[in-house]
Amino acid sequence: MNYFVDEKSIVREIWKNTDVVLLIFAGSAAEFALNKAVDWLYFTGKIPTNPLERLFSTVEYAQKIVFAENKSALATIDKITQIHQGVEKSRGQTIPDWAYRDVLYMLIDYSIRSFELLERKLKPNEKEEIFNVFLRLGTRMGLKNLPTNFYDWEIDRNLHLENDLQKGKFTIHLFHQYKKHLGSFRYFILIQIQQILVPSIVHKQLFQFSNFPTITLLKLYKSGRKFKLDHLIKYIILPKKYKEELIRIGKFESL
């Protein structure tokens, strides 16, 4: 069978790991709150109203692409494109090309950062492979001015970080919503994780306090995985009503 992502690809190893996937979106949640195009989230109101529900919906779309047969994956990508086009039509504006690239770049960057934080350092060819998979996704969506290799992506990624981030009222409101839906304890854990995960330029704009205890917590978490306690920890960190969503994310772990 012809899959969109090769069955032996590092991308599959990353996106079947529930822990890594949750980190990818923890990092993305922090950075996107700073993005100058974050006002688009407020046009539909879906993410500000229920950011966790939207998170799991996005994960489901991503995993459908990564683990699907090529034809099915392309259909999912086309559906995502149509959804965005519908939002643009409703608002009477076009989402900027750089904003689309920002989101694509976040998926590449946090796939790498999250896997390396929890598992191991990635080899240069593995990073290139991650980039190539998301390049095909972006190309299918019709995104313009995409870099053609990982080296050029790193340069463009840094330019986007320097030019496209700005802390504003939407940033503050989104973080209030994260806290509202997670509760104080879970929100504290989220912030600790984000601090050690995001690029320095994101960290400087969002956080002003030390993240020293997080390294210790991370070591304890990794130790817990040896004794199969990681699933218990995930259920403690996330509200009970999202247990079914966690199970769906983890359905590819046995592949």
Side-chain angles (χ1 to χ4, degrees):
M1 187 174 288
N2 182 27
Y3 289 98
F4 184 77
V5 177
D6 187 86
E7 290 179 90
K8 296 182 180 180
S9 172
I10 184 62
V11 177
R12 282 188 168 225
E13 186 175 346
I14 291 170
W15 281 83
K16 73 179 182 181
N17 187 320
T18 306
D19 297 340
V20 174
V21 170
L22 290 176
L23 286 194
I24 290 171
F25 284 94
S28 298
E31 183 176 327
F32 201 79
L34 286 173
N35 196 279
K36 291 180 180 178
V38 72
D39 60 294
W40 279 92
L41 299 181
Y42 282 79
F43 178 73
T44 62
K46 291 182 179 178
I47 290 183
T49 302
N50 196 335
L52 294 185
E53 200 69 58
R54 187 68 174 184
L55 156 69
F56 287 112
S57 173
T58 304
V59 170
E60 188 174 357
Y61 273 115
Q63 288 185 320
K64 279 183 179 179
I65 295 168
V66 171
F67 296 100
E69 181 271 331
N70 190 60
K71 185 177 180 180
S72 177
L74 294 178
T76 299
I77 296 171
D78 292 343
K79 182 177 180 180
I80 294 170
T81 303
Q82 291 169 4
I83 291 171
H84 285 97
Q85 289 173 343
V87 174
E88 291 175 328
K89 185 177 180 180
S90 296
R91 190 173 182 180
Q93 299 178 28
T94 301
I95 299 173
D97 288 337
W98 56 262
Y100 278 114
R101 290 196 298 276
D102 280 341
V103 175
L104 188 72
Y105 289 2
M106 277 189 269
L107 291 174
I108 297 170
D109 197 0
Y110 290 111
S111 290
I112 294 170
R113 288 174 181 271
S114 300
F115 187 81
E116 290 192 331
L117 185 64
L118 286 185
E119 302 296 338
R120 61 171 174 82
K121 285 290 183 182
L122 289 162
K123 300 173 184 177
N125 66 303
E126 290 176 321
K127 293 181 180 180
E128 192 75 42
E129 186 177 346
I130 293 166
F131 165 78
N132 285 330
V133 166
F134 286 101
L135 173 63
R136 288 192 287 118
L137 189 158
T139 301
R140 179 71 180 190
M141 290 184 68
L143 306 193
K144 301 174 182 178
N145 302 317
L146 292 173
T148 57
N149 56 69
F150 185 78
Y151 175 78
D152 289 341
W153 170 79
E154 285 186 300
I155 295 172
D156 206 32
R157 167 67 168 157
N158 287 328
L159 289 174
H160 277 253
L161 286 170
E162 291 172 5
N163 296 324
D164 300 345
L165 303 182
Q166 179 178 297
K167 187 174 182 178
K169 62 179 182 179
F170 294 130
T171 310
I172 296 168
H173 183 262
L174 265 181
F175 272 86
H176 283 163
Q177 291 300 101
Y178 297 157
K179 186 173 184 178
K180 175 183 176 181
H181 287 270
L182 285 170
S184 297
F185 171 72
R186 297 183 178 98
Y187 177 74
F188 172 77
I189 297 297
L190 172 67
I191 295 300
Q192 300 307 305
I193 292 171
Q194 288 174 334
Q195 285 191 84
I196 60 173
L197 189 60
V198 300
S200 59
I201 192 169
V202 175
H203 190 285
K204 288 177 183 177
Q205 293 197 46
L206 285 176
F207 310 115
Q208 289 81 40
F209 45 88
S210 170
N211 58 28
F212 172 76
T214 312
I215 302 299
T216 303
L217 289 171
L218 188 61
K219 289 180 179 178
L220 289 172
Y221 181 70
K222 287 183 176 181
S223 297
R225 294 166 70 185
K226 297 178 182 178
F227 301 100
K228 308 296 183 181
L229 297 177
D230 53 317
H231 292 293
L232 176 62
I233 295 171
K234 280 191 279 281
Y235 292 136
I236 292 173
I237 292 175
L238 284 168
K240 290 182 180 179
K241 64 179 180 179
Y242 296 107
K243 286 186 179 181
E244 292 299 321
E245 284 83 352
L246 268 178
I247 292 172
R248 286 203 298 270
I249 291 177
K251 67 183 177 181
F252 298 103
E253 287 187 338
S254 60
L255 295 179

